[in-house]
Amino acid sequence: MEADMRRSFAALTAAALLSLLSACSDSRDEAPADPPAGPRPGTWLSGDLHLHSDHSDDAADNPMAELVNVAEERGMGFFTVTDHDNHVEGRLTTWDDPAFRSGKMVLLYGVEYTTARGHANIFGTKPFDHPRLYALRDRSDVGAGRAIAAEAHAQGLHLSVNHPVNGDPWEFGFDMPFDSMEVWNALYAFPTDNSGAIRLWDELIGGGRRITGRGGSDCHHQTGIESLGLNVGNPTTWVYAEAPTAAAVLAALKAGHVAVGYAPTAERLRLTADADHDGGYEALMGDSLPAAGRPVAFRLEIDGARPLAVYNVTVLKNGQPFLERRLFGEQALDFEDRPAAGQRSWYRVEVRGSTPEAPAAAVLVGFYGGFVGLTNPIYFGFE
Ligand SMILES: [Zn+2]
Ligand SMILES: [Zn+2]
């Protein structure tokens, strides 16, 4: 989809550019503070799980040192670069770049598995044997997807399908054990309409799988008009990790302790549940609880909520709107439901509205869809 994106951005009007410039100039609020997600210990870490550096052949103006700087300046907690692998025949150069280091951010080792049948990001805690994965890229048999996943998992890696239905859609199939899916690529509504990926996500969960939804900016450039509308962290993926380590970040990503927001400075969403009514809200998004048929109290919290902001909250149950509520600068929404006994149910939240960093002009609201953020689901009766 990268080529499509560049063409689309080139079509931005001058008026839109001016709006962007004015919106960007007064919009660097602090990232949300760090309250706990529930009784469990942990820390919120922000990151961008889809970035290209000048080690990708289509991102020459995204030098590694500058990417690291931008990410550190934006307060990112973890950092990865997912360069294309196809133009170097699978022999990555990204990790050997002396600029690929940070004293502030947790580093993940990543790559964009760039094949004729779709793209996936692969993440590890340390350098891995990518040529072994690359050797599988041209397989077209029905077992190809499973073979790729098996090789990734044999190396202890996280396999995450990118832009699954847009641009270069994933054609290895979805009945393979990938670990997460990019449900929000670049600006929410432009140049990719991410609603198709969200629908697919709900369908796969409806089929009984717990799949983490994550974001990724797919940022390729630090110059030109695209870099004004889309840069490191648009969108940002937040993980609630047990510790600030690469292994804990990937564990949280796999477990779905994840929310996605428009930018690192945008509001961060937390969905928790209290199934035993002790007021503890011990279940966090990504968790699965028994389908006991008893009432459950849910709480959505909006970290970094602004007093004058309007948030249009949609709670989705089993992929369908369950509750819609307009919040005026409030930081929390409590609701209750009784997930059916012995059946699978899942609840997740989407929030629309304005957000500090997002461009205010109507045309650009169209680009990001007024989409502030989304949570991963809390599951009942899964596994
Ligand atoms: Zn891609
Ligand atoms: Zn990409």
Side-chain angles (χ1 to χ4, degrees), residues 1-2 50 52 84 112-114 118-121 162-163 168 182 185 218 220:
M1 73 152 292
E2 287 79 15
H50 193 159
H52 294 273
H84 297 295
E112 183 164 17
Y113 195 58
T114 308
H119 300 179
N121 281 349
N162 287 349
H163 42 77
D168 298 283
E182 187 174 71
N185 175 281
D218 218 348
H220 279 67

PDB file of all heavy atoms in Angstrom, residues 1-2 50 52 84 112-114 118-121 162-163 168 182 185 218 220, ligand 1:
ATOM      1  N   MET A   1       0.813  -1.203   0.000  1.00  0.00           N
ATOM      2  CA  MET A   1       0.000   0.000   0.000  1.00  0.00           C
ATOM      3  C   MET A   1       0.850   1.257   0.000  1.00  0.00           C
ATOM      4  O   MET A   1       0.350   2.336  -0.158  1.00  0.00           O
ATOM      5  CB  MET A   1      -0.885   0.015   1.238  1.00  0.00           C
ATOM      6  CG  MET A   1      -0.128   0.312   2.520  1.00  0.00           C
ATOM      7  SD  MET A   1      -1.167   1.080   3.733  1.00  0.00           S
ATOM      8  CE  MET A   1      -1.445   2.645   2.973  1.00  0.00           C
ATOM      9  N   GLU A   2       2.182   1.090   0.185  1.00  0.00           N
ATOM     10  CA  GLU A   2       3.001   2.282   0.379  1.00  0.00           C
ATOM     11  C   GLU A   2       2.965   3.194  -0.837  1.00  0.00           C
ATOM     12  O   GLU A   2       2.915   4.415  -0.715  1.00  0.00           O
ATOM     13  CB  GLU A   2       4.440   1.886   0.713  1.00  0.00           C
ATOM     14  CG  GLU A   2       4.605   1.326   2.116  1.00  0.00           C
ATOM     15  CD  GLU A   2       4.165  -0.133   2.257  1.00  0.00           C
ATOM     16  OE1 GLU A   2       3.991  -0.790   1.212  1.00  0.00           O
ATOM     17  OE2 GLU A   2       3.987  -0.596   3.383  1.00  0.00           O
ATOM     18  N   HIS A  50       5.069  -0.022  13.073  1.00  0.00           N
ATOM     19  CA  HIS A  50       5.242  -0.138  11.617  1.00  0.00           C
ATOM     20  C   HIS A  50       5.954   1.119  11.101  1.00  0.00           C
ATOM     21  O   HIS A  50       5.317   2.136  10.855  1.00  0.00           O
ATOM     22  CB  HIS A  50       3.874  -0.310  10.940  1.00  0.00           C
ATOM     23  CG  HIS A  50       3.948  -0.742   9.506  1.00  0.00           C
ATOM     24  ND1 HIS A  50       2.884  -1.344   8.863  1.00  0.00           N
ATOM     25  CD2 HIS A  50       4.938  -0.654   8.582  1.00  0.00           C
ATOM     26  CE1 HIS A  50       3.216  -1.616   7.616  1.00  0.00           C
ATOM     27  NE2 HIS A  50       4.466  -1.194   7.417  1.00  0.00           N
ATOM     28  N   HIS A  52       9.350   2.577   8.557  1.00  0.00           N
ATOM     29  CA  HIS A  52      10.400   2.299   7.564  1.00  0.00           C
ATOM     30  C   HIS A  52      11.520   3.313   7.698  1.00  0.00           C
ATOM     31  O   HIS A  52      11.261   4.514   7.827  1.00  0.00           O
ATOM     32  CB  HIS A  52       9.812   2.336   6.152  1.00  0.00           C
ATOM     33  CG  HIS A  52       8.834   1.232   5.909  1.00  0.00           C
ATOM     34  ND1 HIS A  52       9.220  -0.005   5.468  1.00  0.00           N
ATOM     35  CD2 HIS A  52       7.484   1.162   6.088  1.00  0.00           C
ATOM     36  CE1 HIS A  52       8.151  -0.793   5.366  1.00  0.00           C
ATOM     37  NE2 HIS A  52       7.080  -0.105   5.743  1.00  0.00           N
ATOM     38  N   HIS A  84      11.320  -3.050   4.675  1.00  0.00           N
ATOM     39  CA  HIS A  84      11.045  -4.094   3.688  1.00  0.00           C
ATOM     40  C   HIS A  84      12.264  -5.015   3.571  1.00  0.00           C
ATOM     41  O   HIS A  84      13.406  -4.579   3.737  1.00  0.00           O
ATOM     42  CB  HIS A  84      10.762  -3.466   2.317  1.00  0.00           C
ATOM     43  CG  HIS A  84       9.545  -2.592   2.297  1.00  0.00           C
ATOM     44  ND1 HIS A  84       8.283  -3.082   2.506  1.00  0.00           N
ATOM     45  CD2 HIS A  84       9.408  -1.263   2.104  1.00  0.00           C
ATOM     46  CE1 HIS A  84       7.408  -2.080   2.434  1.00  0.00           C
ATOM     47  NE2 HIS A  84       8.059  -0.960   2.196  1.00  0.00           N
ATOM     48  N   GLU A 112       9.440  -5.900   7.896  1.00  0.00           N
ATOM     49  CA  GLU A 112       8.190  -6.113   7.170  1.00  0.00           C
ATOM     50  C   GLU A 112       8.435  -7.204   6.129  1.00  0.00           C
ATOM     51  O   GLU A 112       9.186  -7.016   5.157  1.00  0.00           O
ATOM     52  CB  GLU A 112       7.660  -4.836   6.499  1.00  0.00           C
ATOM     53  CG  GLU A 112       6.318  -5.098   5.804  1.00  0.00           C
ATOM     54  CD  GLU A 112       5.515  -3.865   5.432  1.00  0.00           C
ATOM     55  OE1 GLU A 112       6.095  -2.758   5.407  1.00  0.00           O
ATOM     56  OE2 GLU A 112       4.292  -4.004   5.187  1.00  0.00           O
ATOM     57  N   TYR A 113       7.812  -8.331   6.367  1.00  0.00           N
ATOM     58  CA  TYR A 113       7.856  -9.482   5.468  1.00  0.00           C
ATOM     59  C   TYR A 113       7.044  -9.079   4.243  1.00  0.00           C
ATOM     60  O   TYR A 113       5.815  -9.031   4.295  1.00  0.00           O
ATOM     61  CB  TYR A 113       7.224 -10.650   6.223  1.00  0.00           C
ATOM     62  CG  TYR A 113       7.442 -12.037   5.679  1.00  0.00           C
ATOM     63  CD1 TYR A 113       8.715 -12.544   5.499  1.00  0.00           C
ATOM     64  CD2 TYR A 113       6.350 -12.853   5.408  1.00  0.00           C
ATOM     65  CE1 TYR A 113       8.900 -13.837   5.046  1.00  0.00           C
ATOM     66  CE2 TYR A 113       6.525 -14.147   4.960  1.00  0.00           C
ATOM     67  CZ  TYR A 113       7.805 -14.637   4.777  1.00  0.00           C
ATOM     68  OH  TYR A 113       7.989 -15.927   4.341  1.00  0.00           O
ATOM     69  N   THR A 114       7.740  -8.754   3.161  1.00  0.00           N
ATOM     70  CA  THR A 114       7.117  -8.070   2.027  1.00  0.00           C
ATOM     71  C   THR A 114       7.008  -9.038   0.863  1.00  0.00           C
ATOM     72  O   THR A 114       7.982  -9.250   0.135  1.00  0.00           O
ATOM     73  CB  THR A 114       7.966  -6.839   1.645  1.00  0.00           C
ATOM     74  OG1 THR A 114       8.200  -6.047   2.826  1.00  0.00           O
ATOM     75  CG2 THR A 114       7.254  -5.982   0.616  1.00  0.00           C
ATOM     76  N   GLY A 118       1.074 -10.463   0.264  1.00  0.00           N
ATOM     77  CA  GLY A 118       0.743  -9.681   1.454  1.00  0.00           C
ATOM     78  C   GLY A 118       1.960  -9.409   2.316  1.00  0.00           C
ATOM     79  O   GLY A 118       3.052  -9.926   2.059  1.00  0.00           O
ATOM     80  N   HIS A 119       1.737  -8.565   3.324  1.00  0.00           N
ATOM     81  CA  HIS A 119       2.825  -8.107   4.193  1.00  0.00           C
ATOM     82  C   HIS A 119       2.509  -8.454   5.648  1.00  0.00           C
ATOM     83  O   HIS A 119       1.356  -8.393   6.066  1.00  0.00           O
ATOM     84  CB  HIS A 119       2.992  -6.588   4.091  1.00  0.00           C
ATOM     85  CG  HIS A 119       3.320  -6.088   2.710  1.00  0.00           C
ATOM     86  ND1 HIS A 119       3.484  -4.751   2.420  1.00  0.00           N
ATOM     87  CD2 HIS A 119       3.515  -6.751   1.532  1.00  0.00           C
ATOM     88  CE1 HIS A 119       3.777  -4.610   1.137  1.00  0.00           C
ATOM     89  NE2 HIS A 119       3.784  -5.813   0.569  1.00  0.00           N
ATOM     90  N   ALA A 120       3.551  -8.791   6.375  1.00  0.00           N
ATOM     91  CA  ALA A 120       3.385  -9.013   7.815  1.00  0.00           C
ATOM     92  C   ALA A 120       4.620  -8.465   8.523  1.00  0.00           C
ATOM     93  O   ALA A 120       5.727  -8.534   7.974  1.00  0.00           O
ATOM     94  CB  ALA A 120       3.235 -10.501   8.121  1.00  0.00           C
ATOM     95  N   ASN A 121       4.436  -7.907   9.687  1.00  0.00           N
ATOM     96  CA  ASN A 121       5.587  -7.519  10.487  1.00  0.00           C
ATOM     97  C   ASN A 121       5.964  -8.657  11.415  1.00  0.00           C
ATOM     98  O   ASN A 121       5.093  -9.340  11.967  1.00  0.00           O
ATOM     99  CB  ASN A 121       5.284  -6.258  11.297  1.00  0.00           C
ATOM    100  CG  ASN A 121       5.383  -5.005  10.447  1.00  0.00           C
ATOM    101  OD1 ASN A 121       5.877  -5.054   9.314  1.00  0.00           O
ATOM    102  ND2 ASN A 121       4.916  -3.889  10.972  1.00  0.00           N
ATOM    103  N   ASN A 162      -0.082  -7.270   8.407  1.00  0.00           N
ATOM    104  CA  ASN A 162      -0.223  -5.833   8.129  1.00  0.00           C
ATOM    105  C   ASN A 162      -1.383  -5.561   7.179  1.00  0.00           C
ATOM    106  O   ASN A 162      -1.672  -6.376   6.301  1.00  0.00           O
ATOM    107  CB  ASN A 162       1.043  -5.297   7.459  1.00  0.00           C
ATOM    108  CG  ASN A 162       2.201  -5.195   8.424  1.00  0.00           C
ATOM    109  OD1 ASN A 162       2.032  -5.318   9.631  1.00  0.00           O
ATOM    110  ND2 ASN A 162       3.390  -4.983   7.878  1.00  0.00           N
ATOM    111  N   HIS A 163      -1.949  -4.345   7.306  1.00  0.00           N
ATOM    112  CA  HIS A 163      -3.005  -3.875   6.390  1.00  0.00           C
ATOM    113  C   HIS A 163      -3.672  -5.072   5.694  1.00  0.00           C
ATOM    114  O   HIS A 163      -3.506  -5.274   4.480  1.00  0.00           O
ATOM    115  CB  HIS A 163      -2.475  -2.841   5.389  1.00  0.00           C
ATOM    116  CG  HIS A 163      -1.107  -3.145   4.798  1.00  0.00           C
ATOM    117  ND1 HIS A 163      -0.928  -4.076   3.815  1.00  0.00           N
ATOM    118  CD2 HIS A 163       0.125  -2.666   5.066  1.00  0.00           C
ATOM    119  CE1 HIS A 163       0.364  -4.136   3.491  1.00  0.00           C
ATOM    120  NE2 HIS A 163       1.018  -3.282   4.251  1.00  0.00           N
ATOM    121  N   ASP A 168      -1.863  -4.113  -0.225  1.00  0.00           N
ATOM    122  CA  ASP A 168      -1.324  -5.450  -0.460  1.00  0.00           C
ATOM    123  C   ASP A 168      -1.986  -6.385   0.538  1.00  0.00           C
ATOM    124  O   ASP A 168      -1.428  -6.655   1.597  1.00  0.00           O
ATOM    125  CB  ASP A 168       0.200  -5.438  -0.261  1.00  0.00           C
ATOM    126  CG  ASP A 168       0.881  -4.516  -1.250  1.00  0.00           C
ATOM    127  OD1 ASP A 168       1.016  -4.918  -2.411  1.00  0.00           O
ATOM    128  OD2 ASP A 168       1.262  -3.388  -0.856  1.00  0.00           O
ATOM    129  N   GLU A 182      -2.732  -5.724  12.180  1.00  0.00           N
ATOM    130  CA  GLU A 182      -2.741  -4.268  12.078  1.00  0.00           C
ATOM    131  C   GLU A 182      -4.150  -3.820  11.689  1.00  0.00           C
ATOM    132  O   GLU A 182      -4.530  -3.894  10.520  1.00  0.00           O
ATOM    133  CB  GLU A 182      -1.727  -3.826  11.024  1.00  0.00           C
ATOM    134  CG  GLU A 182      -1.516  -2.327  10.938  1.00  0.00           C
ATOM    135  CD  GLU A 182      -0.388  -2.003   9.973  1.00  0.00           C
ATOM    136  OE1 GLU A 182      -0.582  -2.171   8.758  1.00  0.00           O
ATOM    137  OE2 GLU A 182       0.692  -1.630  10.440  1.00  0.00           O
ATOM    138  N   ASN A 185      -3.909   1.247  10.207  1.00  0.00           N
ATOM    139  CA  ASN A 185      -2.706   1.589   9.452  1.00  0.00           C
ATOM    140  C   ASN A 185      -2.807   3.047   9.026  1.00  0.00           C
ATOM    141  O   ASN A 185      -3.787   3.463   8.416  1.00  0.00           O
ATOM    142  CB  ASN A 185      -2.616   0.674   8.217  1.00  0.00           C
ATOM    143  CG  ASN A 185      -1.466   1.028   7.279  1.00  0.00           C
ATOM    144  OD1 ASN A 185      -1.562   1.974   6.500  1.00  0.00           O
ATOM    145  ND2 ASN A 185      -0.397   0.263   7.332  1.00  0.00           N
ATOM    146  N   ASP A 218       3.221   3.092   9.357  1.00  0.00           N
ATOM    147  CA  ASP A 218       3.753   2.844   8.016  1.00  0.00           C
ATOM    148  C   ASP A 218       4.485   4.084   7.499  1.00  0.00           C
ATOM    149  O   ASP A 218       4.546   4.315   6.286  1.00  0.00           O
ATOM    150  CB  ASP A 218       2.615   2.460   7.053  1.00  0.00           C
ATOM    151  CG  ASP A 218       3.025   1.385   6.056  1.00  0.00           C
ATOM    152  OD1 ASP A 218       4.227   1.102   5.964  1.00  0.00           O
ATOM    153  OD2 ASP A 218       2.133   0.852   5.370  1.00  0.00           O
ATOM    154  N   HIS A 220       7.051   6.499   6.079  1.00  0.00           N
ATOM    155  CA  HIS A 220       8.177   6.320   5.162  1.00  0.00           C
ATOM    156  C   HIS A 220       9.046   7.562   5.025  1.00  0.00           C
ATOM    157  O   HIS A 220      10.104   7.496   4.429  1.00  0.00           O
ATOM    158  CB  HIS A 220       7.663   5.967   3.761  1.00  0.00           C
ATOM    159  CG  HIS A 220       7.284   4.533   3.559  1.00  0.00           C
ATOM    160  ND1 HIS A 220       6.222   3.943   4.192  1.00  0.00           N
ATOM    161  CD2 HIS A 220       7.843   3.558   2.778  1.00  0.00           C
ATOM    162  CE1 HIS A 220       6.133   2.675   3.796  1.00  0.00           C
ATOM    163  NE2 HIS A 220       7.100   2.417   2.946  1.00  0.00           N
TER     164      HIS A 220
HETATM  165 ZN    ZN B   1       3.104  -3.055   3.776  1.00  0.00          ZN
END
